[in-house]
Structures are given as C-alpha cells and as structure tokens.
Amino acid sequence: KFFRELWKTIDGEEERRSRVKISYGTAGFRRKGETLRGVAFRCGLLAGLRSRALDGKATGLVVTASHNPVEDNGIKLVDGDGGMLHISWEKYAEEVVAAQSSQELQQVVEKIVLRPENTCVAASGGVVLLARDTRPTGEALIAAAIAGVKAAGCEALGSTDTLRTTPQLHWQVLMKNCGKPSEESDYFDKLREGCSRLLSGQGSKPVGHLIIDCANGVGALKAPSVVSAISNAGTVVTLKNTGGGVVNHLCGADYVQKEKVLPETFVDLPGDSLCLSLDGDADRVVFFLPGAGQSGQGAPGSVDLLDGDKILCLIAAHLKSCLSKLDGAMTGPKPSIGVIQTAYANGSSTRYLEENLGLSVVKTKTGVKHLHHSALAFDVSVYFEANGHGTVLFSESFLERLRKVPQGNGGAMHLLELSDIVNPSVGDALSMALLVYVILTHKKWTHREWCDLYRDVPSRMLKCVVPDRSQIKTTNAEQQMLQPQELQVKVDELVSKASLGRAFVRPSGTEDIVRIYAEAETQQGADQLAQSIMEAVR
Ligand code: NG1
Ligand code: ZN
C-alpha cells in the first residue's frame, strides 16, 4: 500500500534532487509551495510514524508558510504534546524527505522503526490531525500529506478543506491527547467565554476601537468567533484585510514589525484606535498605534509599534503583580516566574524586565521551540519573540496549588482564569490579543501608557545572501559566532566603536540568507553598524 501511494507524489527530477538539501529549519520545511508535494507526502508518513511511536497518541501536520509570501508554503509537524515536533525527530524528517527512491525511503523508514526508542512504531493505530492556511497551494499539499499518513497505516483527521490557524491545530492535538474536548468549536468557546469571564464587572474598557489586520490569511476566518468577547465589553472591533488581498502582502505582523508602517487599507482610523496585525497563519501578533512613529518624525503611515517584546513586558508586569497578591496565601515554595527572550529582543525591553520589574531574563536560540522548552522549567512563564510569537505557560503543579488557595484570594482565581485563555501548546495570536485586552482592562492602562513602558533602542535588521550559510556556527543563544572566528573579531571591533552598540550575525533557519542585527544609540548608528557588518559578512 505504501508503494502504491508513493507514485502519486513522484516529483520532478530537479525537485527530487533538491529535497536532499532541504532542512527542517526553525519551523518546518519551507519553500515554493508548488515544489513541496513530495515533502508533504513524506511528512504525512513521518507524522503517522511519530503517532505510532507515541503509542497511538495523535500528532499533527499544518500546511503553512506563516508570514512568508503567498507563493511559499511549508509543512510544520506537531508532536503528541501539542508542541513542535520533538527535536530528536527532526533528523528523521530530513532523512525521510531526502530519500531519492521508494527503495531508499523504505530503508529510512525501517531504520526509524527499528531504533530501540521507537519500538512501539510497529504497533497498529495512530492518528494525525491535518489542516492548512489559505494559500492556493495548500489543498494539493494536504492531499499529498493525507496519502502519506495513510501509507503509514494511520487515520488522517482533516481534509483538503480543513482550514485552521496553526495554534488551533496545536491546541487540538494537545486536547485530544489529554482526553479533553478538542473540536474547533471547543477552542472558540474556551477563549471567548474565558475572556468574557475576565472582563465581566470590570466597568471601563481600555480602548474605544480595536482594529485587526487579518493579513488576508486564515485568521480572518477565525477571529470573529472569539473577538465578540471584546465587542461585548464595549470596544468596537473592526476586521480588515480579511481575504480580499494577497496573504501577507503589504499587511500582516511581519510587514508591520519590519517596516514599521500601517498595513494596507488602514486609512481614516478613529483617534482612539488600538490596532493589531496577525500573520498569515495567526500564530504571531503585533500591536501598533497609528501615529508619529518612535522617531517622532511623523512620516505618513508610520506607527508606534508594540511588538512581541512590549507584549511580553505587559504580560510579565501583570503576572508579577498577580503573584505578589498570592504572598502568604499559597503553601510551599515561592512560585518561580520565567521570562524568555531571544537575542532579537530589543535591549530596552530586557532592561525594563530586569531593572524595572526585577525579573531575570533567559535568552535562547531563535525559534519558538527553544523558547518554549526553556519556559517549561518555571511555575509560570512567558516567552515572546520580538516578531510577536509567544505565549504564557502555567505548570500543571502550579495550577493545582492555585486551585487549593482559599476562595477569598482574588489573585489565585484571576491567574486560573488567565490560564483558561492562553494556548498552552504554542504562541497564538488570537489568544494573545484577548489576553492583552484583558490585562489592559485589569490594569486600567490606556494603550498609550502601555506604549510608553519603555522606548526601543534604535535597531536595524539586514539580510545577506552568502554562498553557504552553514559555514556560520554560533553560540551563546546565537549572539556570537564560533566560526568564522575572524568575522566575530570584526563584529566585536565594529560594535565597540558604536555608542551603546550591540550586534550579532546568524544564519536564518527559514530562508537561505544570513541575518544581521544591530542596535545603537541612534538610528543612524544602528544602520551604520548593520551596514558595516554586512560588508564584512560579504
Ligand atoms: P529565522 O529565519 O531562523 O530567523 C524566522 C524568525 C524567527 C521565527 C521563524 C519561524 C526573525 C529574526 N526570525 O526565523 O523568529 O519566527 O522565522 O517563523 O524574526
Ligand atoms: Zn506564523
């Protein structure tokens, strides 16, 4: 059966050869959507094998290229705990995808199945949940992935029409494996009802208008089912870029965060608007205020950005004050709070967290899988990438302790209610949009007060194409290069000459480029530092 299915996804000669080089990367396989059918089939196969290795627990497969252009697509695999595919299986994914013939594929599969830690692979059963975003190449890729799941002898839950945000699918896998209600409607109900509970009796609303840029992506289809909790609280919610344009084109979280301008169609906004942008698969969110921009130069269309760092700071400040209300009410050790960032976090946000809030910040490698992993070590934690991908985690033992706190302690009750509206498996733009609104309401902060928590240090990010980016090896949460050594020496020298300089170079895990990031006291200084490093990299 396995071999019968394989022919359906035979790819062209060029594509077949190129599969050898494709790596699992920061967040799954990604490239031009039209060239991914063979990859999708093999990923479906692997997701099935993984499910069987987990004794039949569900796994997941999402077809999306997130914030990337419409012609791109990608395959992300979801593990049995609802998180990203376990790192130990990424190399299997690469081997399965690289196989050049059905014979080679069979050998790779046998190798995986026969590994001692995967002994239960041979057992029957196994189920994979599949979904896609709105990209035109998605349908064909889901069809190929379903064929792969079936080739692994597993049940495929989902069809070519199953449209979900990435975090929805992660959540569904987690809930299914916990034996909890896991339908799409359960997800909507949980978020909407949880948010309504947190807002009831609060009186004031933080903003008059909330304007949501849906990036012309799958979030446009799902947002209405949850944001009604906000409109019921008295804020007028408007959805824009709901599918009339091209996904992520001149809109979406990545565009707004990188370009620091209003998305397309954001014109004539009411004065008291708080805006937010989702990305194409609604796992990232950034907020912004139409206005003068941080430079104060007031270029038309510029924005004051409230990025992942500022969302993180708002949440961390709130969690810290909630925990302080628990003092004395909770038995046992003081709960630990974790705050996790990557090297791309703006230096001002890290200083705010450490100096104003007195929290210690953990820095990890880029990619949510790394942040999530670090966050698991704490009772309560929040992680965010500057680009808007993050969530809040509550450990099961901490939730259990909160449930035992006497009813009169509002702090414990509030934290339990907050845990109801966060997605514990992965960053979720819709969930985080609700959470931010709830926190602003409870803190009685205006969006301006939130924006003014700290002022970003000027920064610049550049991309550079090099012949072989794998030549660059990094350490210390990717903030330093081990190789090429002489390049790191040069970067250090350039940084030391820039006032308040900070910079690093790392190979992208999602694009065939090297990223350069620089901060300095002035925008001109940051631009110059990034530019000189780029010249050194070339
Ligand atoms: P790479 O291409 O590895 O830098 C990018 C983002 C990550 C993450 C992944 C997955 C930056 C600098 N990098 O990774 O944060 O979101 O894509 O989507 O934004
Ligand atoms: Zn995304």
Side-chain angles (χ1 to χ4, degrees):
K1 184 167 184 196
F2 171 77
F3 292 106
R4 259 187 284 132
E5 295 292 347
L6 187 61
W7 69 268
K8 291 184 189 166
T9 57
I10 297 272
D11 29 17
E13 187 57 34
E14 195 182 326
E15 193 194 331
R16 181 157 58 239
R17 268 192 267 111
S18 76
R19 277 197 278 98
V20 178
K21 284 182 281 173
I22 184 168
S23 86
Y24 194 77
T26 318
F29 296 108
R30 238 175 244 190
R31 64 182 191 189
K32 296 283 165 271
E34 281 170 0
T35 69
L36 273 171
R37 284 213 323 152
V39 175
F41 173 80
R42 287 159 174 80
C43 284
L45 174 72
L46 193 83
L49 292 180
R50 179 61 175 158
S51 171
R52 292 174 68 160
L54 294 171
D55 231 356
K57 270 191 179 177
T59 59
L61 183 152
V62 197
V63 172
T64 176
S66 188
H67 59 281
N68 290 125
V70 65
E71 61 276 14
D72 290 3
N73 218 330
I75 319 284
K76 286 188 194 179
L77 296 175
V78 180
D79 218 319
D81 60 0
M84 311 270 182
L85 178 69
H86 195 275
I87 291 176
S88 65
W89 273 62
E90 287 184 4
K91 65 173 186 307
Y92 300 151
E94 286 172 358
E95 286 168 15
V96 162
V97 163
Q100 293 290 294
S101 62
S102 49
Q103 205 178 8
E104 210 182 300
L105 184 54
Q106 188 182 5
Q107 282 164 2
V108 174
V109 169
E110 276 171 7
K111 199 182 96 185
I112 298 171
V113 174
L114 292 175
R115 287 191 68 89
E117 66 273 25
N118 299 335
T119 43
C120 45
V121 167
S124 61
V127 51
V128 180
L129 278 69
L130 301 104
R132 64 174 176 92
D133 70 10
T134 53
R135 280 159 212 275
T137 50
E139 264 187 72
L141 297 180
I142 287 283
I146 290 175
V149 172
K150 292 186 177 160
C154 295
E155 186 188 359
L157 288 183
S159 70
T160 51
D161 299 330
T162 309
L163 290 157
R164 299 274 184 273
T165 73
T166 296
Q168 261 189 309
L169 192 90
H170 281 265
W171 183 89
Q172 288 188 284
V173 170
L174 174 65
M175 291 301 137
K176 192 166 174 51
N177 288 334
C178 297
K180 294 191 182 153
S182 62
E183 292 303 316
E184 180 175 43
S185 58
D186 298 314
Y187 169 87
F188 290 144
D189 292 350
K190 192 169 166 66
L191 289 188
R192 191 185 56 248
E193 289 165 12
C195 181
S196 296
R197 260 194 306 280
L198 279 153
L199 294 175
S200 78
Q202 285 299 310
S204 65
K205 55 184 191 316
V207 285
H209 292 262
L210 184 71
I211 307 186
I212 303 182
D213 162 25
C214 298
N216 291 315
V218 68
L221 307 172
K222 311 297 174 182
S225 302
V226 298
V227 297
S228 51
I230 293 179
S231 36
N232 290 341
T235 291
V236 179
V237 180
T238 309
L239 302 184
K240 285 180 177 281
N241 299 330
T242 53
V246 176
V247 66
N248 299 324
H249 181 63
L250 303 179
C251 61
D254 199 59
Y255 174 74
V256 172
Q257 192 235 352
K258 301 262 157 55
E259 305 297 328
K260 300 193 176 59
V261 292
L262 290 171
E264 197 170 53
T265 75
F266 273 54
V267 286
D268 300 329
L269 306 174
D272 63 344
S273 301
L274 173 62
C275 307
L276 68 92
S277 279
L278 313 175
D279 73 338
D281 63 338
D283 57 358
R284 288 190 191 181
V285 60
V286 297
F287 288 77
F288 51 97
L289 310 179
Q294 270 212 347
S295 64
Q297 287 157 1
S302 64
V303 299
D304 283 334
L305 183 68
L306 299 124
D307 60 1
D309 299 337
K310 215 156 243 181
I311 299 172
L312 172 91
C313 289
L314 175 75
I315 297 173
H318 188 59
L319 290 176
K320 196 189 165 199
S321 81
C322 293
L323 288 181
S324 69
K325 291 189 190 136
L326 287 179
D327 279 348
M330 187 180 247
T331 52
K334 206 170 151 58
S336 58
I337 173 167
V339 181
I340 329 288
Q341 298 188 304
T342 72
Y344 290 106
N346 191 276
S348 293
S349 70
T350 313
R351 275 188 287 281
Y352 172 80
L353 292 161
E354 293 187 334
E355 292 165 20
N356 296 53
L357 298 182
L359 298 167
S360 56
V361 173
V362 177
K363 288 264 172 84
T364 71
K365 283 166 52 170
T366 304
V368 182
K369 60 191 176 194
H370 301 294
L371 290 115
H372 191 95
H373 181 75
S374 289
L376 289 170
F378 299 89
D379 288 315
V380 54
S381 50
V382 51
Y383 67 81
F384 258 90
E385 294 192 302
N387 58 32
H389 197 170
T391 191
V392 181
L393 299 183
F394 295 87
S395 76
E396 208 33 65
S397 61
F398 179 58
L399 289 174
E400 205 39 56
R401 286 171 70 198
L402 284 174
R403 289 187 198 106
K404 290 188 183 139
V405 171
Q407 289 280 320
N409 186 295
M413 180 55 110
H414 180 66
L415 282 166
L416 283 167
E417 285 181 345
L418 288 181
S419 76
D420 271 341
I421 63 161
V422 300
N423 187 331
S425 50
V426 79
D428 183 328
L430 295 176
S431 149
M432 288 300 112
L434 299 184
L435 183 68
V436 163
Y437 185 89
V438 161
I439 294 178
L440 291 176
T441 306
H442 277 254
K443 282 188 140 354
K444 304 210 184 310
W445 278 5
T446 62
H447 41 357
R448 211 15 94 183
E449 282 170 283
W450 173 28
C451 190
D452 293 341
L453 271 188
Y454 61 83
R455 204 179 164 83
D456 278 333
V457 201
S459 67
R460 177 63 59 205
M461 175 125 68
L462 295 177
K463 293 179 182 189
C464 179
V465 179
V466 296
D468 179 7
R469 72 192 202 282
S470 69
Q471 296 287 310
I472 297 183
K473 302 272 183 259
T474 63
T475 183
N476 184 21
E478 302 176 315
Q479 295 169 106
Q480 274 174 304
M481 281 171 282
L482 289 170
Q483 280 171 25
Q485 252 181 19
E486 58 285 5
L487 185 56
Q488 185 58 51
V489 171
K490 182 74 187 161
V491 171
D492 290 341
E493 183 196 318
L494 291 165
V495 168
S496 70
K497 285 190 205 148
S499 177
L500 297 183
R502 181 173 84 89
F504 60 91
V505 178
R506 61 174 276 281
S508 160
T510 58
E511 294 173 65
D512 194 7
I513 50 147
V514 167
R515 289 192 205 283
I516 295 150
Y517 178 87
E519 283 180 0
E521 193 175 7
T522 61
Q523 189 58 57
Q524 199 192 9
D527 291 349
Q528 261 170 16
L529 180 56
Q531 194 57 43
S532 333
I533 294 175
M534 173 119 120
E535 279 152 28
V537 170
R538 276 188 186 138

